[in-house]
Amino acid sequence: MAARPPQNETSEPEVIAFGIAALAARLETADISYPATSREICAAVSNTEIPVDSTGNTVELATALDRLPQDEFAKQSELLDMLHPVFEEQRKQAATSVVGRLRALLPI
């Protein structure tokens, strides 16, 4: 048996960002000045459906922000630090759901 030789493709593989990394990338291109409220943040982010894992599970930014104990954030790092456990919990819930387990089994 022989293996096919590697293709001479020089392009980088596509990177899938999810959770805090995906939100941070969207916030970098959004027109937000801090301090900012949850409503201002949602209005500034063009796509508010944030992926929470590599299998395509998402959470709405407004839903994640509603789970936080405060509505105003002094700076972006404070916002991301507070949202991190929310995204982690959402990722864990998605992984234990029936649909999440099926997605993990299927090569998509």
Side-chain angles (χ1 to χ4, degrees):
M1 289 196 150
R4 290 180 60 176
Q7 301 297 321
N8 290 332
E9 188 169 327
T10 59
S11 66
E12 294 291 319
E14 185 178 325
V15 176
I16 300 172
F18 54 89
I20 293 299
L23 178 58
R26 293 178 190 182
L27 290 173
E28 292 299 321
T29 60
D31 185 24
I32 301 174
S33 59
Y34 293 90
T37 64
S38 296
R39 180 176 285 175
E40 292 168 335
I41 293 166
C42 285
V45 175
S46 60
N47 181 3
T48 60
E49 194 172 338
I50 310 297
V52 293
D53 59 24
S54 61
T55 61
N57 293 303
T58 62
V59 64
E60 276 295 324
L61 180 56
T63 302
L65 290 169
D66 285 344
R67 295 180 184 161
L68 299 179
Q70 69 189 54
D71 186 54
E72 186 169 293
F73 308 93
K75 52 189 175 178
Q76 180 176 322
S77 60
E78 176 188 22
L79 169 67
L80 295 175
D81 287 345
M82 292 192 76
L83 279 172
H84 185 267
V86 174
F87 284 131
E88 282 299 307
E89 182 62 30
Q90 188 70 29
R91 182 187 59 78
K92 288 177 186 174
Q93 287 177 0
T96 59
S97 72
V98 173
V99 174
R101 284 186 261 156
L102 286 175
R103 280 185 174 171
L105 293 174
L106 299 174
I108 297 175

